[in-house]
Amino acid sequence: MNIRKARVDDLSRVAEIFVFNNRINYFPIFQDETFSFGELQVVSLINNYLIKDEIINNIFVFDDGLIKGFVQMNKTEICKIYVDTFFQGRGIGSQLIEYAVKEFYADNLWALEKNRRAISFYQKHGFSLTGERKFEEGTTEYLVRLKR
């Protein structure tokens, strides 16, 4: 398996994957240009979030010579899982989620309710909707909880 703990020198690639996925998947839902193309930038994401010990120490990257995806854990919760859009459909996301389940006993996560593609992916990997919903902070959109 090509999954390992993230290092500081991986953060620009991790941030790039996150930013691009966020714009592709969430801008159509939120329609917030100021956030998606202003606030959400690779350098500020690294400096204000990813570099924190409690974050970087819980990020694991899929690296086969090039970082193509990552998963971020918080105990048994999957906080983030993203695969570079150019490499989706190659089983990388499946390997990342299986790694999270095997190594960290991942058993829960929150997903944006309107992100049907992600919810379907999680369901294929044994996660089920619980019926729990909460607002995504600062928005009018709901997150839904899935458990394994």
Side-chain angles (χ1 to χ4, degrees):
M1 190 171 284
N2 300 316
I3 299 173
R4 63 170 173 78
K5 191 172 181 310
R7 301 182 302 251
V8 171
D9 61 339
D10 299 327
L11 293 182
S12 64
R13 183 70 179 124
V14 168
E16 181 180 58
I17 292 167
F18 177 82
V19 168
F20 196 69
N21 268 276
N22 192 285
R23 288 176 180 160
I24 293 291
N25 295 308
Y26 302 134
F27 178 73
I29 295 169
F30 294 108
Q31 294 291 310
D32 186 346
E33 292 177 5
T34 302
F35 176 76
S36 292
F37 301 99
E39 294 173 39
L40 187 61
Q41 298 289 325
V42 169
V43 174
S44 61
L45 181 64
I46 294 167
N47 292 339
N48 298 324
Y49 181 71
L50 295 174
I51 197 69
K52 296 176 183 175
D53 286 340
E54 66 271 18
I55 304 300
I56 191 173
N57 290 332
N58 291 295
I59 294 177
F60 302 86
V61 296
F62 180 96
D63 181 359
D64 65 356
L66 175 67
I67 294 172
K68 295 179 178 173
F70 72 93
V71 61
Q72 178 189 340
M73 299 298 302
N74 180 9
K75 298 179 184 154
T76 63
E77 179 182 358
I78 295 174
C79 299
K80 292 177 180 43
I81 183 168
Y82 290 103
V83 174
D84 187 306
T85 56
F86 291 98
F87 300 105
Q88 291 177 0
R90 298 183 185 188
I92 295 167
S94 293
Q95 288 184 54
L96 285 165
I97 203 165
E98 289 165 14
Y99 178 85
V101 168
K102 181 181 174 195
E103 297 297 322
F104 301 102
Y105 308 100
D107 63 2
N108 73 103
L109 59 92
W110 291 90
L112 193 62
E113 186 174 47
K114 289 183 179 175
N115 193 348
R116 302 302 310 158
R117 187 169 163 231
I119 291 169
S120 176
F121 171 78
Y122 299 134
Q123 289 174 322
K124 286 181 197 171
H125 290 279
F127 289 80
S128 300
L129 290 164
T130 65
E132 291 177 76
R133 296 169 77 209
K134 68 179 182 180
F135 280 112
E136 171 70 282
E137 188 176 327
T139 76
T140 58
E141 298 295 333
Y142 281 102
L143 294 170
V144 291
R145 188 165 198 170
L146 292 96
K147 285 190 174 182
R148 190 173 154 79

